[in-house]
Amino acid sequence: MLEDVERWLSTRSWSVDDRPLKKIVAAKRSSNATVSVVLPALNEEETVGEIVAVIRRDLMLKVPLVDEIVVIDSGSTDRTSEVAAAAGARVVHRDDILPRIPAAPGKGEVLWRSLLVTSGDIVCFIDADLKEFSSDFVSGIVGPLLTDPGVDLVKAMYDRPLGQAAGQGGRVTELMARPLLNMHWPQLAGFVQPLGGEYAARRSLLEQLPFPVGYGVELGMLIDALHLVGLDALAQVDVGVRRHRHQDGQALGRMSAAIYRTAQLRLARGHLIRPSLTQFERGEDGFEPRTYSVDTEERPPMADIAEYATRRVA
């Protein structure tokens, strides 16, 4: 392992217990920083309400750490919006944000647009499909940003069980993202969960980053942040165990293709064609091909969007 990665692991990897909640709240009070929590959601009525309720109870009512909880609904056909609103979140539909730019499907698109409808100096992203949710996921990754001015982005790290098998989740991480990072961006080799959907960052950083519209958003953001602010401005915090709904193998294949494409764009911009991925499903006449386009579009840094600049002035 590179010496700077070993040093980084000893100075920028923490446990949630390293910063008591009282210390974090005191740091927030002294800095006057505000915190927004964003949940991107698509058909998550079974879990989104509990996540919102726990954050609101623990980090808004018990202690004043979180200033707003915003659920961005990206086209749910179930009761995601109603459940989230009933639990205390402000719910905004993806298509109502920046309507002059037609929305692309994908998680990254939702995260990018969320910057226009949130106000926090620190923005914390939490996936909406988490089970047995703990507010440590929020306080743990927000804490370093409030207590250490040299930190700009913090990823959560955790165990990811697959069913009853400990440590077997995160299959795309182990089979695709980790090899890519180790080979091409070895400074990022110390991240335990580079693709994890729970991370917090300063708005001043997020508004300068391009956002891949799909599954590549976490990898792209990590690589771009490394180049923009350097390794020492990045950190990770151990928050325990992450339990969530797992994808099937074919969905993981599509995620892997999008993540590889995101890496490819950063390795060789300007010489690429739009790729596709063909997978196979057994039908009545044997295996039938299914071809999917791979997410390749990226949104520009939000600081370049006229509506965002107008909003900041206002």
Side-chain angles (χ1 to χ4, degrees):
M1 184 176 291
L2 294 175
E3 288 185 9
D4 54 350
V5 175
E6 292 183 347
R7 175 188 55 77
W8 179 83
L9 281 169
S10 66
T11 60
R12 287 291 187 261
S13 293
W14 299 294
S15 165
V16 67
D17 296 328
D18 290 336
R19 290 174 176 80
L21 193 53
K22 288 184 178 180
K23 179 180 179 180
I24 298 171
V25 173
K28 178 180 187 290
R29 187 180 301 113
S30 64
S31 68
N32 292 318
T34 53
V35 177
S36 298
V37 175
V38 172
L39 280 71
L42 176 63
N43 294 329
E44 303 294 357
E45 67 175 0
E46 294 184 5
T47 51
V48 68
E50 177 67 12
I51 297 171
V52 170
V54 169
I55 296 171
R56 186 170 183 273
R57 180 194 68 207
D58 292 354
L59 304 179
M60 296 181 82
L61 299 179
K62 289 185 179 179
V63 298
L65 181 63
V66 171
D67 296 283
E68 63 175 351
I69 307 172
V70 181
V71 171
I72 312 292
D73 191 330
S74 58
S76 298
T77 55
D78 65 1
R79 297 182 62 253
T80 291
S81 290
E82 293 87 343
V83 170
R90 175 163 60 93
V91 179
V92 184
H93 195 283
R94 174 200 63 196
D95 296 342
D96 293 334
I97 307 170
L98 201 61
R100 73 172 175 85
I101 300 178
K107 178 184 179 182
E109 178 81 358
V110 174
L111 301 184
W112 181 70
R113 289 175 186 259
S114 75
L115 296 181
L116 267 166
V117 294
T118 53
S119 59
D121 303 304
I122 293 169
V123 182
C124 174
F125 298 119
I126 300 291
D127 280 351
D129 66 342
L130 302 188
K131 302 175 182 178
E132 302 176 28
F133 179 76
S134 167
S135 59
D136 286 349
F137 273 71
V138 175
S139 59
I141 57 179
V142 166
L145 294 164
L146 291 169
T147 59
D148 189 335
V151 174
D152 287 328
L153 184 149
V154 183
K155 299 275 298 189
M157 57 177 166
Y158 32 66
D159 295 318
R160 295 185 67 176
L162 181 62
Q164 300 302 314
Q168 296 302 306
R171 291 161 288 173
V172 175
T173 293
E174 299 303 328
L175 297 175
M176 177 59 70
R178 200 176 307 286
L180 281 172
L181 291 175
N182 276 264
M183 287 187 290
H184 299 295
W185 296 278
Q187 283 185 297
L188 297 174
F191 276 94
V192 175
Q193 297 292 349
L195 300 185
E198 293 71 45
Y199 49 99
R202 300 190 192 280
R203 178 177 293 271
S204 57
L205 171 62
L206 293 172
E207 65 188 15
Q208 297 181 69
L209 298 177
F211 277 60
V213 299
Y215 287 121
V217 63
E218 275 84 22
L219 184 79
M221 187 179 297
L222 202 56
I223 294 168
D224 294 340
L226 173 67
H227 290 301
L228 191 62
V229 296
L231 182 61
D232 285 341
L234 313 180
Q236 60 184 350
V237 173
D238 187 348
V239 296
V241 180
R242 183 187 196 270
R243 302 183 188 278
H244 66 111
R245 171 175 44 82
H246 291 282
Q247 303 277 2
D248 62 34
Q250 292 209 335
L252 296 180
R254 296 191 290 275
M255 291 171 63
S256 296
I259 289 162
Y260 179 76
R261 173 65 170 183
T262 299
Q264 186 185 36
L265 283 168
R266 280 151 180 78
L267 288 169
R269 290 187 182 275
H271 303 285
L272 305 172
I273 59 174
R274 184 176 181 87
S276 59
L277 175 71
T278 299
Q279 298 177 314
F280 294 88
E281 298 178 8
R282 184 181 289 279
E284 294 181 0
D285 300 319
F287 285 102
E288 300 174 355
R290 300 284 187 272
T291 299
Y292 303 88
S293 61
V294 174
D295 294 323
T296 58
E297 188 172 358
E298 297 196 7
R299 296 304 190 188
M302 187 56 78
D304 295 343
I305 299 299
E307 288 88 340
Y308 187 75
T310 301
R311 170 183 173 276
R312 292 299 297 273
V313 171

